[in-house]
Structures are given as C-alpha cells and as structure tokens.
Amino acid sequence: DNVLLLVKSDVLDWVGNTLEIIKRTVKGPDGNYIAPITNDTFSQITDLFNQAEDQYKSFDKVFRQQRTTITSVLHGISGLPTFSLFFILVFAFLNVRRVAPKVFQCFYFFFGLLFGMTGTALLLIGVIGLMVCGEVTLQQWQSPGIFQWYIVPECESVTVLANVTNQIRSMEVDNSVNACREAMEVCDSSQSFNASTPERLFVCNISDASIATLCGSFEQMNQTILSMPFKFGATALCPTCSAYSDCPSKCTNEASRNKTRESISLINFALNATTIISRFLPQLDCDVLATRLVAPLIQARECSTIGLGLMVMGAGGAFACLEIGRA
C-alpha cells in the first residue's frame, strides 16, 4: 500500500502537475498557446501519461481486490498442516495404528512436498528480489546497472519529450527574434532625438544583419534590448524612465508605448520558454523519472524487507522438502 501510494504521489501526480505547469506557462494572456506551440505539441506526451495512469489504476484495483483473497488463502494453507496434526493426537488417544495413519501419512507427504516446492520457489524469488533491490539502490545514485544500461536508454528512444523540447526551444528563439524586431521600431542609429520621428527614442545596437546573432536566445535578446540607451534629448518624452522596460508605462509617445509594450510581451514569452527548458523539462528526463520510480521502494523501506522475508519463508519450505526427502 505504501509503495503504491508513493508511486501515485511522487511519480504520477508529480509528472501530471509538471505537465500542467508547462502547458500553463506556454499560454498567452488570451489563454491560447503561444506560437509555434499548439494543442498537438502535448497530445502524444499527454496520451502516454494517461496510459500510464490507467495502467496504475488497473493494477491498484486488481491488487486491492485480490489482496484479501490471497491473504485468506495463504492463512488457510499455512494453518492446514497444524490443523492436520490434531488427528495425530486423536489416533494416538484411540490407539489407531493401521489404515487412517497411513492415509494421513500420504496426506502429510503430499502437502510437505507442495510446501517444499513452494518454499524453494519463494527462496529463488527472494534472491531475485534482493538483486532487484540492489539495482534500485544503484539507480538511486544513477550508478551503472540494469536501469542505466537498458531501461533509461529504452525510455530515451521514445522521442515524445524531444519533440516537445524542440518546439519550446523554437518558441524561445522565435519570440526572442520577434522581440528584437519590435524593438527596432523604436530605435535607429542616430545618437540624438529627432522630433520628426518621435517614436524612435532609443539608439539601436541591432540590425537586420545582426539580429540572428544578437537575438538567437532569451539571454542574448534580453541583454541586447534592455541595454539600448535613450537618445540624447529623448528623455523629455519619458522624464521618469531609466531603462527600456519603463517605456511601456511611462513614455508619452503612444507609438513608443505600444511597440515597447509588444516587445516586452514577447520578451516574457521567451522567458517562459527558457524557464521551461531549464527548470521543468529536465524533471521529465528519463533518468530523473527512473530515479523517482524506484524512490518509493526505498522510502517505504520495503524492498529489502520483502526480499528477506521471501528468503526466510523459502528457506523454511526448502528445509521441509529436504526433511521429507530424507524421510
């Protein structure tokens, strides 16, 4: 129960919340996705997540339905030999020495053999369980093992996350370049303000030739735009402005306010994209998911406990089988 609850909260719920944060972050003020993001961007990864969630619910339902039944059957089987020993006392008390004891001897042999075979199987399962626990511990530290050699590479071969990453990276680049283009509408190469072009308040440090180089990412674009200085004499149209980012709310020229407001909006879109790439997408990395998947077994302290318990039960059953064989 503890392991299943931790898988639900630490893996499924966590992945679902991360996806919702990403979806909200790539939407504009109107509630629509910011280009080039569309509904199709997340369709595959959402379908994959829904399949995982459905499989978990199915397993959890079957586990809870069968747990009581299996527990009752195991208690009944484990109590059967003890109950059958009662007849030995009856036979001894009544001095029965012929047919009935022979029949019960066969009965004991059959169940002893069955318990011995079951115990041997449990012993092997316990050994395998301890080996799995070792792999779980290795993955916790992301050390070489089955997870690193096979499971993580198999996960990485699924290109769903890569497709989402590429589109969000395109969102960062596109909005960075567009922000610079909007900024170029309120600047030129002149150092002095010209009243005939009142919307051009800033000295340009970008051009069509350099825009791909200076605005190819959020960091480059942000540094390029926000470092553009006011022209000499332009501060009269924005007396309280100290930087480009002040113009959308403080510049007196309407065209300048609108253009800078639009470029700041695009800057924020690019910021959202780079935030997702640096903070949220790494949380959906296959290595991170594998580590979170094994974490519940370690947190619940049940991995080695189950393995050792199965080995103890198996050792008892195997010993019983040997005793039967010796008899």
Side-chain angles (χ1 to χ4, degrees):
D1 274 356
N2 290 338
V3 172
L4 288 176
L5 289 174
L6 286 171
V7 168
K8 178 70 167 64
S9 62
D10 291 1
V11 181
L12 291 177
D13 290 348
W14 178 79
V15 171
N17 291 336
T18 302
L19 285 175
E20 287 304 314
I21 291 173
I22 291 174
K23 290 178 182 179
R24 288 198 305 268
T25 307
V26 295
K27 287 183 178 180
D30 58 358
N32 296 321
Y33 287 118
I34 302 166
I37 306 300
T38 65
N39 288 324
D40 293 337
T41 301
F42 300 102
S43 60
Q44 286 184 311
I45 195 169
T46 300
D47 290 343
L48 196 63
F49 172 74
N50 290 337
Q51 290 174 14
E53 201 168 37
D54 290 342
Q55 290 177 359
Y56 168 83
K57 290 178 180 177
S58 299
F59 177 83
D60 184 60
K61 181 179 179 181
V62 171
F63 172 78
R64 294 184 185 282
Q65 288 176 342
Q66 301 299 326
R67 179 179 56 182
T68 303
T69 303
I70 293 173
T71 302
S72 300
V73 170
L74 289 176
H75 285 165
I77 293 175
S78 61
L80 187 61
T82 304
F83 174 74
S84 64
L85 291 176
F86 169 75
F87 290 96
I88 295 178
L89 298 177
V90 175
F91 296 150
F93 180 76
L94 298 177
N95 199 25
V96 178
R97 298 174 179 273
R98 295 186 178 180
V99 179
K102 296 295 183 182
V103 172
F104 270 82
Q105 185 177 8
C106 294
F107 176 80
Y108 295 146
F109 179 83
F110 172 75
F111 273 94
L113 184 62
L114 179 63
F115 272 70
M117 293 173 63
T118 304
T120 303
L122 290 175
L123 180 62
L124 294 175
I125 293 173
V127 172
I128 294 173
L130 288 178
M131 293 173 63
V132 171
C133 289
E135 292 296 329
V136 166
T137 303
L138 288 175
Q139 179 55 32
Q140 183 186 19
W141 302 105
Q142 297 182 356
S143 301
I146 291 177
F147 280 90
Q148 292 293 311
W149 294 334
Y150 301 105
I151 297 178
V152 171
E154 182 65 23
C155 170
E156 290 174 343
S157 67
V158 179
T159 59
V160 173
L161 186 61
N163 293 336
V164 174
T165 303
N166 290 337
Q167 289 203 40
I168 294 177
R169 197 173 297 281
S170 295
M171 170 184 162
E172 177 194 3
V173 174
D174 291 352
N175 283 282
S176 296
V177 171
N178 290 335
C180 284
R181 294 195 185 281
E182 290 293 333
M184 289 171 64
E185 296 293 326
V186 293
C187 71
D188 57 34
S189 58
S190 175
Q191 298 290 322
S192 301
F193 175 69
N194 188 339
S196 63
T197 54
E199 74 281 1
R200 300 189 180 273
L201 306 178
F202 300 91
V203 179
C204 272
N205 50 13
I206 47 177
S207 63
D208 289 330
S210 64
I211 194 169
T213 303
L214 297 178
C215 301
S217 67
F218 167 77
E219 290 79 7
Q220 293 173 327
M221 171 271 296
N222 192 50
Q223 181 178 4
T224 298
I225 293 179
L226 298 186
S227 63
M228 289 199 307
F230 278 95
K231 289 183 178 182
F232 179 76
T235 52
L237 295 180
C238 192
T240 60
C241 292
S242 59
Y244 182 92
S245 56
D246 294 329
C247 192
S249 59
K250 297 179 179 180
C251 284
T252 58
N253 181 269
E254 183 178 0
S256 299
R257 287 200 310 271
N258 292 337
K259 289 296 181 181
T260 53
R261 185 181 297 117
E262 181 62 26
S263 63
I264 292 295
S265 177
L266 294 170
I267 289 174
N268 289 332
F269 291 164
L271 173 61
N272 289 348
T274 193
T275 300
I276 292 171
I277 292 171
S278 61
R279 290 184 56 190
F280 295 108
L281 286 180
Q283 296 180 26
L284 298 179
D285 179 73
C286 289
D287 224 351
V288 175
L289 291 178
T291 302
R292 292 190 74 91
L293 186 62
V294 302
L297 286 171
I298 297 172
Q299 293 177 29
R301 301 176 181 271
E302 293 185 10
C303 188
S304 59
T305 303
I306 293 173
L308 289 172
L310 290 172
M311 287 188 66
V312 171
M313 291 175 62
F319 178 76
C321 189
L322 290 175
E323 287 297 314
I324 291 172
R326 188 178 67 176

